[in-house]
Amino acid sequence: AQSVTQLGSHVSVSEGALVLLRCNYSSSVPPYLFWYVQYPNQGLQLLLKYTSAATLVKGINGFEAEFKKSETSFHLTKPSAHMSDAAEYFCAVRAGDTPLVFGKGTRLSVIA
Amino acid sequence: NAGVTQTPKFRVLKTGQSMTLLCAQDMNHEYMYWYRQDPGMGLRLIHYSVGEGTTAKGEVPDGYNVSRLKKQNFLLGLESAAPSQTSVYFCASSTYRVAYEQYFGPGTRLTVT
């Protein structure tokens, strides 16, 4: 069975600072990995996904993530935080023909 | 395309009452899912369906039933609501291709008193 661990339930950064949200996964087969964002009182929106092509994946709103098999990680980064990035972020893994398994989420706060 | 829609958006139930949540998708997706979201718990899978007429249990299926009579609809039922079922419920859909993402609806906020 696959699982996801998101390190840090809450991350706070200053506007313009680097955003780093950590995600580690466990899977017995090559995984597909996803990052979703949830703005207050809304559903989940896909930020980016890794599907075994390039290990560095670029997504919407300037976010990117790097798949590192040796570290079983898929950390999400953005060079410069914007106030509009404040939201909850979820990492998810899919191994084979199974539903997505989500991490518990990381709430990102951006301080002016 | 409307994508994934959920009805209703909000609902308050009393303990022991029953209700059905409706999810509809217009993307011709084969797979559909019901998740619940609770603070600090992320999203947990309740039930899912890989096609019309089929359903399967997820991580937290107890107290819920589902039906997929039509490809575009996936119903989630609570036969006898309990306060522990107070949550935000999300429906999602996807194609059968494993590399493709799940698309989510806007959610239903359910309170059981």
Side-chain angles (χ1 to χ4, degrees):
Chain A
Q2 61 271 26
S3 65
V4 170
T5 301
Q6 290 185 242
L7 299 175
S9 59
H10 183 209
V11 171
S12 186
V13 301
S14 298
E15 192 173 20
L18 172 71
V19 175
L20 171 60
L21 304 182
R22 299 178 188 273
C23 172
N24 288 90
Y25 71 90
S26 172
S27 176
S28 58
V29 299
Y32 296 98
L33 295 158
F34 304 80
W35 275 100
Y36 282 83
V37 60
Q38 184 182 33
Y39 298 103
N41 300 313
Q42 293 188 26
L44 276 72
Q45 177 184 358
L46 182 72
L47 269 180
L48 49 81
K49 63 181 180 183
Y50 167 75
T51 58
S52 75
T55 56
L56 182 62
V57 181
K58 294 186 184 299
I60 62 172
N61 301 339
F63 284 93
E64 62 181 38
E66 187 172 7
F67 172 71
K68 291 187 176 181
K69 184 178 179 180
S70 61
E71 299 177 8
T72 60
S73 69
F74 191 56
H75 302 331
L76 182 71
T77 60
K78 182 174 181 177
S80 177
H82 192 272
M83 297 298 289
S84 61
D85 295 327
E88 186 144 23
Y89 292 80
F90 293 93
C91 183
V93 63
R94 190 177 195 183
D97 188 16
T98 59
L100 286 180
V101 173
F102 285 86
K104 295 188 176 184
T106 297
R107 183 163 61 91
L108 175 67
S109 297
V110 182
I111 304 166
Chain B
N1 286 351
V4 180
T5 58
Q6 294 182 231
T7 309
K9 289 185 168 51
F10 303 94
R11 185 73 187 268
V12 178
L13 286 180
K14 294 185 176 179
T15 298
Q17 288 185 319
S18 64
M19 77 164 296
T20 300
L21 282 67
L22 170 64
C23 175
Q25 53 94 5
D26 61 3
M27 296 173 281
N28 202 33
H29 284 165
E30 297 83 5
Y31 293 5
M32 296 187 74
Y33 317 83
W34 277 107
Y35 290 87
R36 60 177 287 173
Q37 182 181 26
D38 303 290
M41 301 294 291
L43 279 80
R44 293 180 292 170
L45 184 66
I46 304 171
H47 287 281
Y48 65 103
S49 168
V50 300
E52 187 177 319
T54 70
T55 63
K57 293 180 180 179
E59 180 186 355
V60 288
D62 293 342
Y64 305 95
N65 57 75
V66 288
S67 64
R68 183 114 181 256
L69 300 180
K70 294 182 179 180
K71 185 177 184 179
Q72 64 268 33
N73 296 338
F74 195 30
L75 305 180
L76 178 70
L78 286 73
E79 290 185 346
S80 179
S84 60
Q85 294 178 304
T86 293
S87 187
V88 181
Y89 292 86
F90 287 100
C91 177
S93 71
S94 71
T95 74
Y96 65 89
R97 299 180 181 89
V98 296
Y100 283 70
E101 63 269 27
Q102 293 176 190
Y103 292 81
F104 282 81
T108 295
R109 185 173 296 275
L110 174 66
T111 302
V112 182
T113 61

